[in-house]
Amino acid sequence: SAVISQKPSRDICQRGTSLTIQCQVDSQVTMMFWYRQQPGQSLTLIATANQGSEATYESGFVIDKFPISRPNLTFSTLTVSNMSPEDSSIYLCSVDSGKNYGYTFGSGTRLTVV
Amino acid sequence: AQTVTQSQPEMSVQEAETVTLSCTYDTSENNYYLFWYKQPPSRQMILVIRQEAYKQQNATENRFSVNFQKAAKSFSLKISDSQLGDTAMYFCAFMKLAGGGNKLTFGTGTQLKVEL
């Protein structure tokens, strides 16, 4: 299955700043997914990133707040912009590993906004 | 829209015993996949087991097995011979196949603690 390298693993940021999270996959994948996991909560899909097109955002998430890049089939970034303490969460990227829909996740980025 | 419900926020089991985690879902779809993921304190999401809705046979992976009841929209996970390393948050997830964009919908999770 695909192996994902996600970084940073954690960060503490000042409110009003932005953080860019990177995910590198060891194989080419069509779709990459970005999830948010708020403290003690389940995973919520932020957006789906396809190479060569705009990301598709879920209800409640907007491009200005969570811009996504997908420059090629192995890499994607998620930026959390103009951060507030409410953005403190774990952010995870995910890809379809290709083996009959077995999704692989990155190790997550634990973001704390102070 | 699909919803996934896990009604047990926390469970505990003695080492070597068997435990069952519950999951129900609501969908009008006929073709879909169901998953159980494990998230230990390291926060890495690990796929435990997968079930295709068109298959009547319950999926098994070593000590992990599911009881898939399509009509009842139930998808429980049974862990046999529980080990300390099974301590984790377990999430049930749903994915529809047609026009779903391959998106996963997760339940709220069950925190499982395996005790000595």
Side-chain angles (χ1 to χ4, degrees):
Chain A
S1 61
V3 176
I4 303 174
S5 173
Q6 181 174 346
K7 56 184 180 182
S9 60
R10 61 178 62 225
D11 207 342
I12 301 174
C13 301
Q14 297 291 323
R15 68 177 66 200
T17 63
S18 298
L19 175 72
T20 295
I21 302 167
Q22 301 179 2
C23 275
Q24 178 74 52
V25 189
D26 69 345
S27 59
Q28 293 184 339
V29 293
T30 303
M31 290 186 286
M32 294 182 72
F33 305 89
W34 287 97
Y35 289 86
R36 181 176 72 181
Q37 186 177 22
Q38 294 177 300
Q41 304 292 316
S42 185
L43 282 73
T44 301
L45 182 65
I46 298 171
T48 303
N50 292 320
Q51 192 267 335
S53 64
E54 292 281 338
T56 302
Y57 288 83
E58 297 300 304
S59 176
F61 298 95
V62 296
I63 188 171
D64 289 346
K65 176 67 175 177
F66 297 101
I68 288 172
S69 77
R70 185 79 202 275
N72 56 53
L73 292 174
T74 63
F75 186 79
S76 179
T77 67
L78 169 76
T79 299
V80 186
S81 304
N82 188 26
M83 289 184 285
S84 66
E86 291 71 33
D87 294 320
S88 297
S89 296
I90 297 171
Y91 293 86
L92 301 105
C93 62
S94 175
V95 301
D96 177 3
S97 69
K99 292 187 176 181
N100 298 321
Y101 299 107
Y103 287 81
T104 301
F105 285 80
S107 54
T109 297
R110 183 183 294 276
L111 170 63
T112 302
V113 184
V114 298
Chain B
Q2 285 66 231
T3 59
V4 179
T5 302
Q6 294 179 249
S7 59
Q8 306 152 313
E10 298 179 350
M11 294 191 72
S12 62
V13 63
Q14 296 293 314
E15 194 178 23
E17 297 295 309
T18 296
V19 64
T20 299
L21 280 57
S22 300
C23 173
T24 59
Y25 57 96
D26 185 21
T27 184
S28 58
E29 301 292 326
N30 192 48
N31 295 318
Y32 51 86
Y33 278 74
L34 294 162
F35 305 85
W36 278 98
Y37 280 89
K38 165 185 176 181
Q39 187 180 42
S42 67
R43 73 176 178 266
Q44 178 74 54
M45 291 287 286
I46 302 166
L47 177 64
V48 175
I49 200 164
R50 172 185 59 240
Q51 175 78 44
E52 296 91 328
Y54 66 87
K55 290 187 177 179
Q56 293 185 338
Q57 185 175 6
N58 289 323
T60 62
E61 286 288 341
N62 301 312
R63 298 184 295 108
F64 299 89
S65 62
V66 298
N67 183 5
F68 173 48
Q69 302 290 328
K70 190 173 184 179
K73 296 179 183 176
S74 172
F75 183 61
S76 61
L77 174 69
K78 185 172 80 171
I79 305 174
S80 304
D81 186 25
S82 297
Q83 301 175 359
L84 295 177
D86 295 333
T87 293
M89 180 72 85
Y90 286 81
F91 291 100
C92 178
F94 172 99
M95 186 192 79
K96 73 175 184 178
L97 286 177
N102 293 0
K103 298 180 292 188
L104 292 170
T105 300
F106 286 88
T108 51
T110 296
Q111 178 64 53
L112 176 67
K113 183 177 181 181
V114 180
E115 301 172 327
L116 290 170

